[in-house]
């Protein structure tokens, strides 16, 4: 059974008299443990696809099974609970909570999981150590560099042991040194069996993935393994 299975997924946006097919009849299956690159021109539907897989958004039509569960049949509260347990997100612009410290940000996904406070601290500190930022635990996001912020976001993404980590251009705002650190961290997570989907414009990042899915105008036009 694939971890992710999309069948006939459409996503339409109606703005004024205009209707945009952001996704058009997308079929996609992803097995546990795969690392998949999603590529394609600006506006081709990459972020829309990630948003649907990450349960941030719902498709206009089509079927989405995550871990054997039909996500189209869930009410919003259940969807939020499943999202919290199953999905870790990394965004281009980090999306850390500005008033929480690095440690507080990494503890956040565990709040909803009902993990006791001491255990949340322990797990979050272990995750921060893993990304090399144990000595920045008390820093606010504004007191961190861009690369450090993204490493905090990666710690937050995996601390709850999600089924899948979704990364939307995670290195888009980083210089080459920080990019290499982020990619090494994602490599290490993948080596441990973490399923990862990464949207990227960079060819050398895509080549680190076993599979590349290319979108054009909301459709999958290429799906290459090797
Ligand atoms: N909330 C929205 N309302 C209306 N149209 C939208 C909305 N979100 C996305 N779109 C449209 O859907 C299409 C796909 O957008 P999407 O953000 O998925 O592209 P993308 O491949 O991630 O592009 P980029 O590489 O620039 O991030 C675009 O044509 C966009 O204009
Ligand atoms: Mg995008």
């Amino acid at each position: 059974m694939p971890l992710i299975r999309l069948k006939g997924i459409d996503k339409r946006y109606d703005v004024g008299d205009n209707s945009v097919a952001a996704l058009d009849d997308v079929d996609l299956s992803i097995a546990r443990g795969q690392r998949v690159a999603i590529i394609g021109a600006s506006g081709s539907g990459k972020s829309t696809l990630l948003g649907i897989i990450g349960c941030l958004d719902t498709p206009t039509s089509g079927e989405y099974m995550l871990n054997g569960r039909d996500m189209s049949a869930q009410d919003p509260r259940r969807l939020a609970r499943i999202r919290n347990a199953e999905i870790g997100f990394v965004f281009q612009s980090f999306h850390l909570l500005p008033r929480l410290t690095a440690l507080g940000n990494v503890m956040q996904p565990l709040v909803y999981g009902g993990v006791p406070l001491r255990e949340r601290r322990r797990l979050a500190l272990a995750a921060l150590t893993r990304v090399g930022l144990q000595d920045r635990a008390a820093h606010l996001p504004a007191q961190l560099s861009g690369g450090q912020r993204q490493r905090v976001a990666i710690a937050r993404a995996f601390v709850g042991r999600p089924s899948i980590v979704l990364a939307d251009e995670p290195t888009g705002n980083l210089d080459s040194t920080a990019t290499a650190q982020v990619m090494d961290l994602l490599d290490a997570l993948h080596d441990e069996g973490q399923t990862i989907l990464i949207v990227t414009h960079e060819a050398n990042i895509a080549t680190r993935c076993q599979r590349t899915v290319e979108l054009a105008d909301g459709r999958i036009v290429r799906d290459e393994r090797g």
Side-chain angles (χ1 to χ4, degrees), residues 4 6 23 26 28-30 35-41 44-51 53 164-170 196-203 205-207 209 211-216 219-220 222-224:
I4 284 168
L6 304 176
L23 293 175
V26 167
L28 183 66
S29 289
I30 294 171
R35 178 167 43 170
V36 181
I38 312 279
I39 63 168
S44 59
K46 305 180 298 295
S47 295
T48 304
L49 180 63
L50 232 60
I53 291 173
I164 183 157
V165 169
L166 302 177
D168 197 344
E169 302 191 46
I196 301 175
L197 246 76
I198 174 165
V199 170
T200 183
H201 284 290
E202 292 170 64
I205 291 178
T207 54
C209 303
R211 185 173 171 195
T212 302
V213 172
E214 182 174 353
L215 288 173
R219 290 179 154 266
I220 293 179
R222 193 160 64 96
D223 187 348
E224 229 163 58

mmCIF file of all heavy atoms in Angstrom, residues 4 6 23 26 28-30 35-41 44-51 53 164-170 196-203 205-207 209 211-216 219-220 222-224:
data_model
loop_
_atom_site.group_PDB
_atom_site.id
_atom_site.type_symbol
_atom_site.label_atom_id
_atom_site.label_comp_id
_atom_site.label_asym_id
_atom_site.label_seq_id
_atom_site.Cartn_x
_atom_site.Cartn_y
_atom_site.Cartn_z
ATOM 1 N N ILE A 4 1.096 7.535 0.043
ATOM 2 C CA ILE A 4 0.270 8.602 -0.543
ATOM 3 C C ILE A 4 -0.291 8.108 -1.863
ATOM 4 O O ILE A 4 0.445 7.554 -2.689
ATOM 5 C CB ILE A 4 1.119 9.864 -0.761
ATOM 6 C CG1 ILE A 4 1.341 10.558 0.576
ATOM 7 C CG2 ILE A 4 0.482 10.812 -1.770
ATOM 8 C CD1 ILE A 4 2.369 11.629 0.517
ATOM 9 N N LEU A 6 -2.869 9.697 -4.833
ATOM 10 C CA LEU A 6 -3.800 10.681 -5.389
ATOM 11 C C LEU A 6 -4.401 10.100 -6.655
ATOM 12 O O LEU A 6 -3.679 9.513 -7.468
ATOM 13 C CB LEU A 6 -3.064 11.980 -5.740
ATOM 14 C CG LEU A 6 -2.265 12.678 -4.653
ATOM 15 C CD1 LEU A 6 -1.540 13.878 -5.242
ATOM 16 C CD2 LEU A 6 -3.152 13.121 -3.514
ATOM 17 N N LEU A 23 -4.508 22.296 -10.565
ATOM 18 C CA LEU A 23 -4.179 20.876 -10.752
ATOM 19 C C LEU A 23 -5.259 20.260 -11.620
ATOM 20 O O LEU A 23 -6.448 20.536 -11.429
ATOM 21 C CB LEU A 23 -4.098 20.140 -9.404
ATOM 22 C CG LEU A 23 -2.949 20.540 -8.487
ATOM 23 C CD1 LEU A 23 -3.079 19.809 -7.152
ATOM 24 C CD2 LEU A 23 -1.588 20.262 -9.113
ATOM 25 N N VAL A 26 -4.625 14.847 -11.605
ATOM 26 C CA VAL A 26 -3.324 14.349 -11.150
ATOM 27 C C VAL A 26 -3.467 12.985 -10.471
ATOM 28 O O VAL A 26 -4.259 12.825 -9.551
ATOM 29 C CB VAL A 26 -2.671 15.368 -10.177
ATOM 30 C CG1 VAL A 26 -1.483 14.744 -9.452
ATOM 31 C CG2 VAL A 26 -2.230 16.613 -10.943
ATOM 32 N N LEU A 28 -0.980 10.193 -8.562
ATOM 33 C CA LEU A 28 0.385 10.085 -8.029
ATOM 34 C C LEU A 28 0.379 9.147 -6.831
ATOM 35 O O LEU A 28 -0.448 9.287 -5.928
ATOM 36 C CB LEU A 28 0.869 11.484 -7.596
ATOM 37 C CG LEU A 28 2.297 11.595 -7.074
ATOM 38 C CD1 LEU A 28 3.319 11.294 -8.164
ATOM 39 C CD2 LEU A 28 2.549 12.998 -6.506
ATOM 40 N N SER A 29 1.283 8.182 -6.867
ATOM 41 C CA SER A 29 1.456 7.293 -5.712
ATOM 42 C C SER A 29 2.886 7.411 -5.222
ATOM 43 O O SER A 29 3.821 7.410 -6.020
ATOM 44 C CB SER A 29 1.181 5.833 -6.093
ATOM 45 O OG SER A 29 -0.187 5.654 -6.317
ATOM 46 N N ILE A 30 3.035 7.493 -3.915
ATOM 47 C CA ILE A 30 4.367 7.597 -3.322
ATOM 48 C C ILE A 30 4.493 6.563 -2.214
ATOM 49 O O ILE A 30 3.658 6.508 -1.306
ATOM 50 C CB ILE A 30 4.604 9.021 -2.785
ATOM 51 C CG1 ILE A 30 4.640 10.000 -3.971
ATOM 52 C CG2 ILE A 30 5.910 9.091 -1.999
ATOM 53 C CD1 ILE A 30 4.643 11.444 -3.578
ATOM 54 N N ARG A 35 12.183 9.546 -1.601
ATOM 55 C CA ARG A 35 12.420 10.981 -1.635
ATOM 56 C C ARG A 35 12.125 11.441 -3.054
ATOM 57 O O ARG A 35 12.767 10.980 -3.996
ATOM 58 C CB ARG A 35 13.844 11.324 -1.236
ATOM 59 C CG ARG A 35 14.091 12.832 -1.330
ATOM 60 C CD ARG A 35 15.362 13.253 -0.669
ATOM 61 N NE ARG A 35 16.464 12.352 -0.967
ATOM 62 C CZ ARG A 35 17.731 12.625 -0.662
ATOM 63 N NH1 ARG A 35 18.032 13.741 -0.044
ATOM 64 N NH2 ARG A 35 18.684 11.775 -0.971
ATOM 65 N N VAL A 36 11.159 12.330 -3.176
ATOM 66 C CA VAL A 36 10.654 12.720 -4.488
ATOM 67 C C VAL A 36 10.850 14.217 -4.669
ATOM 68 O O VAL A 36 10.509 15.006 -3.782
ATOM 69 C CB VAL A 36 9.147 12.378 -4.612
ATOM 70 C CG1 VAL A 36 8.626 12.750 -5.993
ATOM 71 C CG2 VAL A 36 8.904 10.899 -4.323
ATOM 72 N N ALA A 37 11.400 14.597 -5.828
ATOM 73 C CA ALA A 37 11.507 16.015 -6.183
ATOM 74 C C ALA A 37 10.317 16.386 -7.054
ATOM 75 O O ALA A 37 9.958 15.637 -7.965
ATOM 76 C CB ALA A 37 12.802 16.272 -6.940
ATOM 77 N N ILE A 38 9.707 17.518 -6.757
ATOM 78 C CA ILE A 38 8.641 18.054 -7.599
ATOM 79 C C ILE A 38 9.206 19.287 -8.297
ATOM 80 O O ILE A 38 9.631 20.232 -7.621
ATOM 81 C CB ILE A 38 7.411 18.494 -6.764
ATOM 82 C CG1 ILE A 38 7.000 17.422 -5.752
ATOM 83 C CG2 ILE A 38 6.257 18.924 -7.677
ATOM 84 C CD1 ILE A 38 6.175 16.315 -6.292
ATOM 85 N N ILE A 39 9.233 19.251 -9.617
ATOM 86 C CA ILE A 39 9.777 20.380 -10.363
ATOM 87 C C ILE A 39 8.726 20.901 -11.347
ATOM 88 O O ILE A 39 7.677 20.268 -11.538
ATOM 89 C CB ILE A 39 11.087 20.017 -11.103
ATOM 90 C CG1 ILE A 39 10.833 18.939 -12.159
ATOM 91 C CG2 ILE A 39 12.149 19.534 -10.121
ATOM 92 C CD1 ILE A 39 12.004 18.745 -13.119
ATOM 93 N N GLY A 40 9.031 22.025 -11.979
ATOM 94 C CA GLY A 40 8.105 22.607 -12.952
ATOM 95 C C GLY A 40 8.184 24.123 -12.886
ATOM 96 O O GLY A 40 8.639 24.696 -11.893
ATOM 97 N N ALA A 41 7.706 24.760 -13.947
ATOM 98 C CA ALA A 41 7.780 26.215 -14.052
ATOM 99 C C ALA A 41 6.936 26.884 -12.963
ATOM 100 O O ALA A 41 6.065 26.253 -12.362
ATOM 101 C CB ALA A 41 7.286 26.650 -15.430
ATOM 102 N N SER A 44 3.007 26.207 -12.154
ATOM 103 C CA SER A 44 2.624 24.897 -12.698
ATOM 104 C C SER A 44 1.816 24.050 -11.710
ATOM 105 O O SER A 44 1.283 23.008 -12.087
ATOM 106 C CB SER A 44 3.868 24.136 -13.153
ATOM 107 O OG SER A 44 4.773 23.951 -12.081
ATOM 108 N N GLY A 45 1.747 24.481 -10.445
ATOM 109 C CA GLY A 45 0.901 23.777 -9.478
ATOM 110 C C GLY A 45 1.641 23.044 -8.372
ATOM 111 O O GLY A 45 1.039 22.298 -7.595
ATOM 112 N N LYS A 46 2.955 23.283 -8.241
ATOM 113 C CA LYS A 46 3.759 22.552 -7.266
ATOM 114 C C LYS A 46 3.304 22.800 -5.828
ATOM 115 O O LYS A 46 3.097 21.860 -5.060
ATOM 116 C CB LYS A 46 5.242 22.941 -7.417
ATOM 117 C CG LYS A 46 5.792 22.741 -8.824
ATOM 118 C CD LYS A 46 7.254 23.147 -8.933
ATOM 119 C CE LYS A 46 7.544 24.602 -8.645
ATOM 120 N NZ LYS A 46 6.948 25.546 -9.621
ATOM 121 N N SER A 47 3.150 24.074 -5.469
ATOM 122 C CA SER A 47 2.744 24.388 -4.092
ATOM 123 C C SER A 47 1.308 23.933 -3.829
ATOM 124 O O SER A 47 0.987 23.493 -2.723
ATOM 125 C CB SER A 47 2.864 25.892 -3.818
ATOM 126 O OG SER A 47 4.225 26.279 -3.895
ATOM 127 N N THR A 48 0.466 24.035 -4.855
ATOM 128 C CA THR A 48 -0.908 23.563 -4.709
ATOM 129 C C THR A 48 -0.917 22.066 -4.410
ATOM 130 O O THR A 48 -1.638 21.601 -3.523
ATOM 131 C CB THR A 48 -1.700 23.849 -6.004
ATOM 132 O OG1 THR A 48 -1.613 25.250 -6.289
ATOM 133 C CG2 THR A 48 -3.143 23.435 -5.871
ATOM 134 N N LEU A 49 -0.082 21.327 -5.123
ATOM 135 C CA LEU A 49 0.006 19.879 -4.899
ATOM 136 C C LEU A 49 0.489 19.578 -3.481
ATOM 137 O O LEU A 49 -0.076 18.726 -2.780
ATOM 138 C CB LEU A 49 0.955 19.262 -5.937
ATOM 139 C CG LEU A 49 1.167 17.755 -5.848
ATOM 140 C CD1 LEU A 49 -0.136 17.005 -6.096
ATOM 141 C CD2 LEU A 49 2.233 17.300 -6.843
ATOM 142 N N LEU A 50 1.514 20.303 -3.045
ATOM 143 C CA LEU A 50 2.037 20.078 -1.693
ATOM 144 C C LEU A 50 0.986 20.414 -0.641
ATOM 145 O O LEU A 50 0.857 19.720 0.367
ATOM 146 C CB LEU A 50 3.293 20.928 -1.475
ATOM 147 C CG LEU A 50 4.504 20.168 -0.968
ATOM 148 C CD1 LEU A 50 4.903 19.077 -1.934
ATOM 149 C CD2 LEU A 50 5.667 21.101 -0.698
ATOM 150 N N GLY A 51 0.241 21.499 -0.901
ATOM 151 C CA GLY A 51 -0.805 21.903 0.043
ATOM 152 C C GLY A 51 -1.892 20.854 0.187
ATOM 153 O O GLY A 51 -2.402 20.620 1.291
ATOM 154 N N ILE A 53 -1.468 17.515 -0.502
ATOM 155 C CA ILE A 53 -0.865 16.350 0.159
ATOM 156 C C ILE A 53 -0.712 16.622 1.661
ATOM 157 O O ILE A 53 -0.912 15.743 2.478
ATOM 158 C CB ILE A 53 0.489 15.996 -0.496
ATOM 159 C CG1 ILE A 53 0.247 15.461 -1.908
ATOM 160 C CG2 ILE A 53 1.250 14.978 0.343
ATOM 161 C CD1 ILE A 53 1.503 15.232 -2.729
ATOM 162 N N ILE A 164 5.458 11.896 6.668
ATOM 163 C CA ILE A 164 6.079 12.533 5.505
ATOM 164 C C ILE A 164 6.499 13.962 5.830
ATOM 165 O O ILE A 164 5.794 14.671 6.552
ATOM 166 C CB ILE A 164 5.130 12.489 4.282
ATOM 167 C CG1 ILE A 164 5.795 13.083 3.050
ATOM 168 C CG2 ILE A 164 3.807 13.179 4.545
ATOM 169 C CD1 ILE A 164 5.197 12.586 1.775
ATOM 170 N N VAL A 165 7.665 14.346 5.318
ATOM 171 C CA VAL A 165 8.122 15.735 5.403
ATOM 172 C C VAL A 165 7.943 16.373 4.022
ATOM 173 O O VAL A 165 8.420 15.843 3.023
ATOM 174 C CB VAL A 165 9.592 15.820 5.865
ATOM 175 C CG1 VAL A 165 10.134 17.236 5.682
ATOM 176 C CG2 VAL A 165 9.725 15.388 7.321
ATOM 177 N N LEU A 166 7.220 17.502 4.000
ATOM 178 C CA LEU A 166 6.976 18.243 2.763
ATOM 179 C C LEU A 166 7.791 19.518 2.802
ATOM 180 O O LEU A 166 7.689 20.292 3.750
ATOM 181 C CB LEU A 166 5.489 18.601 2.646
ATOM 182 C CG LEU A 166 4.511 17.433 2.666
ATOM 183 C CD1 LEU A 166 3.073 17.956 2.628
ATOM 184 C CD2 LEU A 166 4.761 16.505 1.493
ATOM 185 N N ALA A 167 8.611 19.737 1.783
ATOM 186 C CA ALA A 167 9.468 20.919 1.775
ATOM 187 C C ALA A 167 9.228 21.693 0.481
ATOM 188 O O ALA A 167 9.413 21.156 -0.613
ATOM 189 C CB ALA A 167 10.934 20.499 1.896
ATOM 190 N N ASP A 168 8.775 22.942 0.609
ATOM 191 C CA ASP A 168 8.480 23.770 -0.570
ATOM 192 C C ASP A 168 9.605 24.772 -0.778
ATOM 193 O O ASP A 168 9.694 25.780 -0.066
ATOM 194 C CB ASP A 168 7.138 24.495 -0.380
ATOM 195 C CG ASP A 168 6.591 25.032 -1.707
ATOM 196 O OD1 ASP A 168 7.359 25.108 -2.689
ATOM 197 O OD2 ASP A 168 5.392 25.385 -1.746
ATOM 198 N N GLU A 169 10.492 24.492 -1.709
ATOM 199 C CA GLU A 169 11.672 25.301 -1.985
ATOM 200 C C GLU A 169 12.420 25.676 -0.700
ATOM 201 O O GLU A 169 12.639 26.859 -0.422
ATOM 202 C CB GLU A 169 11.284 26.555 -2.774
ATOM 203 C CG GLU A 169 10.594 26.192 -4.088
ATOM 204 C CD GLU A 169 10.432 27.373 -5.021
ATOM 205 O OE1 GLU A 169 11.407 28.115 -5.181
ATOM 206 O OE2 GLU A 169 9.341 27.549 -5.581
ATOM 207 N N PRO A 170 12.845 24.671 0.058
ATOM 208 C CA PRO A 170 13.436 24.940 1.384
ATOM 209 C C PRO A 170 14.741 25.711 1.325
ATOM 210 O O PRO A 170 15.144 26.305 2.319
ATOM 211 C CB PRO A 170 13.657 23.537 1.963
ATOM 212 C CG PRO A 170 13.801 22.653 0.772
ATOM 213 C CD PRO A 170 12.857 23.230 -0.258
ATOM 214 N N ILE A 196 10.143 11.961 2.020
ATOM 215 C CA ILE A 196 10.326 13.406 1.823
ATOM 216 C C ILE A 196 9.860 13.808 0.420
ATOM 217 O O ILE A 196 10.221 13.166 -0.566
ATOM 218 C CB ILE A 196 11.812 13.811 1.990
ATOM 219 C CG1 ILE A 196 12.321 13.433 3.386
ATOM 220 C CG2 ILE A 196 12.008 15.303 1.729
ATOM 221 C CD1 ILE A 196 13.807 13.686 3.595
ATOM 222 N N LEU A 197 9.073 14.866 0.359
ATOM 223 C CA LEU A 197 8.704 15.480 -0.929
ATOM 224 C C LEU A 197 9.288 16.871 -0.945
ATOM 225 O O LEU A 197 9.047 17.660 -0.022
ATOM 226 C CB LEU A 197 7.188 15.615 -1.021
ATOM 227 C CG LEU A 197 6.521 14.773 -2.091
ATOM 228 C CD1 LEU A 197 6.492 13.354 -1.578
ATOM 229 C CD2 LEU A 197 5.127 15.268 -2.348
ATOM 230 N N ILE A 198 10.028 17.185 -1.997
ATOM 231 C CA ILE A 198 10.702 18.472 -1.999
ATOM 232 C C ILE A 198 10.452 19.189 -3.324
ATOM 233 O O ILE A 198 10.730 18.644 -4.392
ATOM 234 C CB ILE A 198 12.203 18.283 -1.670
ATOM 235 C CG1 ILE A 198 12.966 19.570 -1.792
ATOM 236 C CG2 ILE A 198 12.855 17.218 -2.496
ATOM 237 C CD1 ILE A 198 14.330 19.480 -1.145
ATOM 238 N N VAL A 199 9.863 20.362 -3.233
ATOM 239 C CA VAL A 199 9.682 21.207 -4.410
ATOM 240 C C VAL A 199 10.965 22.006 -4.593
ATOM 241 O O VAL A 199 11.461 22.609 -3.639
ATOM 242 C CB VAL A 199 8.499 22.175 -4.223
ATOM 243 C CG1 VAL A 199 8.472 23.221 -5.342
ATOM 244 C CG2 VAL A 199 7.180 21.414 -4.190
ATOM 245 N N THR A 200 11.507 21.968 -5.790
ATOM 246 C CA THR A 200 12.758 22.689 -5.996
ATOM 247 C C THR A 200 12.902 23.180 -7.428
ATOM 248 O O THR A 200 12.344 22.607 -8.351
ATOM 249 C CB THR A 200 13.976 21.805 -5.621
ATOM 250 O OG1 THR A 200 15.154 22.574 -5.775
ATOM 251 C CG2 THR A 200 14.068 20.558 -6.494
ATOM 252 N N HIS A 201 13.619 24.264 -7.578
ATOM 253 C CA HIS A 201 13.986 24.769 -8.897
ATOM 254 C C HIS A 201 15.415 24.390 -9.242
ATOM 255 O O HIS A 201 15.900 24.685 -10.327
ATOM 256 C CB HIS A 201 13.878 26.308 -8.933
ATOM 257 C CG HIS A 201 12.479 26.802 -9.022
ATOM 258 N ND1 HIS A 201 11.720 26.646 -10.148
ATOM 259 C CD2 HIS A 201 11.688 27.427 -8.129
ATOM 260 C CE1 HIS A 201 10.520 27.170 -9.945
ATOM 261 N NE2 HIS A 201 10.476 27.644 -8.719
ATOM 262 N N GLU A 202 16.109 23.771 -8.270
ATOM 263 C CA GLU A 202 17.539 23.528 -8.462
ATOM 264 C C GLU A 202 17.807 22.100 -8.910
ATOM 265 O O GLU A 202 17.463 21.140 -8.219
ATOM 266 C CB GLU A 202 18.287 23.835 -7.166
ATOM 267 C CG GLU A 202 18.252 25.321 -6.843
ATOM 268 C CD GLU A 202 18.759 25.633 -5.456
ATOM 269 O OE1 GLU A 202 19.946 25.373 -5.210
ATOM 270 O OE2 GLU A 202 17.967 26.120 -4.633
ATOM 271 N N ALA A 203 18.446 21.977 -10.087
ATOM 272 C CA ALA A 203 18.667 20.659 -10.690
ATOM 273 C C ALA A 203 19.517 19.766 -9.786
ATOM 274 O O ALA A 203 19.254 18.570 -9.666
ATOM 275 C CB ALA A 203 19.345 20.824 -12.046
ATOM 276 N N ILE A 205 19.602 19.621 -6.626
ATOM 277 C CA ILE A 205 18.801 19.089 -5.516
ATOM 278 C C ILE A 205 17.924 17.958 -6.033
ATOM 279 O O ILE A 205 17.810 16.903 -5.412
ATOM 280 C CB ILE A 205 17.964 20.206 -4.869
ATOM 281 C CG1 ILE A 205 18.916 21.167 -4.148
ATOM 282 C CG2 ILE A 205 16.928 19.627 -3.916
ATOM 283 C CD1 ILE A 205 18.244 22.337 -3.498
ATOM 284 N N ALA A 206 17.336 18.162 -7.205
ATOM 285 C CA ALA A 206 16.468 17.124 -7.779
ATOM 286 C C ALA A 206 17.252 15.834 -8.016
ATOM 287 O O ALA A 206 16.730 14.737 -7.798
ATOM 288 C CB ALA A 206 15.838 17.620 -9.072
ATOM 289 N N THR A 207 18.525 15.955 -8.412
ATOM 290 C CA THR A 207 19.291 14.738 -8.715
ATOM 291 C C THR A 207 19.610 13.940 -7.447
ATOM 292 O O THR A 207 19.975 12.773 -7.543
ATOM 293 C CB THR A 207 20.622 15.049 -9.436
ATOM 294 O OG1 THR A 207 21.349 15.999 -8.664
ATOM 295 C CG2 THR A 207 20.383 15.589 -10.828
ATOM 296 N N CYS A 209 17.372 13.105 -5.393
ATOM 297 C CA CYS A 209 16.145 12.345 -5.136
ATOM 298 C C CYS A 209 16.080 11.152 -6.086
ATOM 299 O O CYS A 209 16.577 11.227 -7.204
ATOM 300 C CB CYS A 209 14.927 13.232 -5.326
ATOM 301 S SG CYS A 209 14.957 14.696 -4.270
ATOM 302 N N ARG A 211 13.480 10.060 -7.405
ATOM 303 C CA ARG A 211 12.352 10.202 -8.311
ATOM 304 C C ARG A 211 12.080 11.679 -8.535
ATOM 305 O O ARG A 211 12.143 12.472 -7.595
ATOM 306 C CB ARG A 211 11.138 9.537 -7.662
ATOM 307 C CG ARG A 211 9.912 9.491 -8.526
ATOM 308 C CD ARG A 211 8.849 8.666 -7.828
ATOM 309 N NE ARG A 211 7.586 8.760 -8.530
ATOM 310 C CZ ARG A 211 6.428 8.394 -8.020
ATOM 311 N NH1 ARG A 211 6.376 7.881 -6.796
ATOM 312 N NH2 ARG A 211 5.336 8.512 -8.716
ATOM 313 N N THR A 212 11.785 12.030 -9.785
ATOM 314 C CA THR A 212 11.468 13.411 -10.126
ATOM 315 C C THR A 212 10.127 13.457 -10.831
ATOM 316 O O THR A 212 9.919 12.766 -11.826
ATOM 317 C CB THR A 212 12.555 14.009 -11.051
ATOM 318 O OG1 THR A 212 13.811 13.937 -10.389
ATOM 319 C CG2 THR A 212 12.253 15.462 -11.370
ATOM 320 N N VAL A 213 9.215 14.259 -10.297
ATOM 321 C CA VAL A 213 7.900 14.441 -10.896
ATOM 322 C C VAL A 213 7.843 15.874 -11.408
ATOM 323 O O VAL A 213 8.108 16.810 -10.655
ATOM 324 C CB VAL A 213 6.794 14.201 -9.849
ATOM 325 C CG1 VAL A 213 5.429 14.583 -10.403
ATOM 326 C CG2 VAL A 213 6.798 12.754 -9.379
ATOM 327 N N GLU A 214 7.536 16.024 -12.699
ATOM 328 C CA GLU A 214 7.477 17.362 -13.278
ATOM 329 C C GLU A 214 6.034 17.745 -13.596
ATOM 330 O O GLU A 214 5.296 16.980 -14.208
ATOM 331 C CB GLU A 214 8.326 17.431 -14.557
ATOM 332 C CG GLU A 214 8.331 18.839 -15.160
ATOM 333 C CD GLU A 214 9.272 18.986 -16.354
ATOM 334 O OE1 GLU A 214 10.027 18.037 -16.645
ATOM 335 O OE2 GLU A 214 9.219 20.058 -16.985
ATOM 336 N N LEU A 215 5.674 18.950 -13.172
ATOM 337 C CA LEU A 215 4.350 19.490 -13.461
ATOM 338 C C LEU A 215 4.443 20.554 -14.541
ATOM 339 O O LEU A 215 5.428 21.292 -14.612
ATOM 340 C CB LEU A 215 3.753 20.138 -12.200
ATOM 341 C CG LEU A 215 3.290 19.222 -11.069
ATOM 342 C CD1 LEU A 215 2.908 20.064 -9.856
ATOM 343 C CD2 LEU A 215 2.105 18.372 -11.501
ATOM 344 N N ALA A 216 3.416 20.624 -15.395
ATOM 345 C CA ALA A 216 3.251 21.739 -16.331
ATOM 346 C C ALA A 216 1.759 22.014 -16.432
ATOM 347 O O ALA A 216 0.973 21.072 -16.656
ATOM 348 C CB ALA A 216 3.837 21.399 -17.699
ATOM 349 N N ARG A 219 -0.588 19.573 -14.660
ATOM 350 C CA ARG A 219 -0.576 18.152 -15.012
ATOM 351 C C ARG A 219 0.810 17.570 -14.808
ATOM 352 O O ARG A 219 1.809 18.271 -14.990
ATOM 353 C CB ARG A 219 -0.954 17.953 -16.487
ATOM 354 C CG ARG A 219 -2.398 18.261 -16.772
ATOM 355 C CD ARG A 219 -2.698 18.058 -18.248
ATOM 356 N NE ARG A 219 -4.107 17.747 -18.418
ATOM 357 C CZ ARG A 219 -4.593 16.504 -18.483
ATOM 358 N NH1 ARG A 219 -3.789 15.471 -18.450
ATOM 359 N NH2 ARG A 219 -5.895 16.322 -18.598
ATOM 360 N N ILE A 220 0.862 16.280 -14.500
ATOM 361 C CA ILE A 220 2.161 15.605 -14.426
ATOM 362 C C ILE A 220 2.593 15.264 -15.842
ATOM 363 O O ILE A 220 1.900 14.550 -16.554
ATOM 364 C CB ILE A 220 2.085 14.335 -13.554
ATOM 365 C CG1 ILE A 220 1.824 14.743 -12.096
ATOM 366 C CG2 ILE A 220 3.377 13.524 -13.662
ATOM 367 C CD1 ILE A 220 1.693 13.592 -11.131
ATOM 368 N N ARG A 222 5.990 14.395 -16.468
ATOM 369 C CA ARG A 222 7.153 13.511 -16.413
ATOM 370 C C ARG A 222 7.219 12.901 -15.021
ATOM 371 O O ARG A 222 6.940 13.591 -14.031
ATOM 372 C CB ARG A 222 8.429 14.323 -16.698
ATOM 373 C CG ARG A 222 9.664 13.489 -16.978
ATOM 374 C CD ARG A 222 10.712 14.324 -17.703
ATOM 375 N NE ARG A 222 11.208 15.435 -16.871
ATOM 376 C CZ ARG A 222 12.327 15.377 -16.146
ATOM 377 N NH1 ARG A 222 13.063 14.284 -16.126
ATOM 378 N NH2 ARG A 222 12.722 16.411 -15.429
ATOM 379 N N ASP A 223 7.561 11.640 -14.947
ATOM 380 C CA ASP A 223 7.716 10.968 -13.654
ATOM 381 C C ASP A 223 8.855 9.979 -13.832
ATOM 382 O O ASP A 223 8.680 8.919 -14.405
ATOM 383 C CB ASP A 223 6.408 10.257 -13.278
ATOM 384 C CG ASP A 223 6.439 9.685 -11.868
ATOM 385 O OD1 ASP A 223 7.532 9.636 -11.265
ATOM 386 O OD2 ASP A 223 5.378 9.285 -11.378
ATOM 387 N N GLU A 224 10.027 10.372 -13.363
ATOM 388 C CA GLU A 224 11.259 9.637 -13.680
ATOM 389 C C GLU A 224 11.879 9.060 -12.423
ATOM 390 O O GLU A 224 12.037 9.750 -11.422
ATOM 391 C CB GLU A 224 12.255 10.628 -14.306
ATOM 392 C CG GLU A 224 12.888 10.130 -15.582
ATOM 393 C CD GLU A 224 13.522 11.288 -16.346
ATOM 394 O OE1 GLU A 224 14.388 11.939 -15.765
ATOM 395 O OE2 GLU A 224 13.109 11.515 -17.500
#
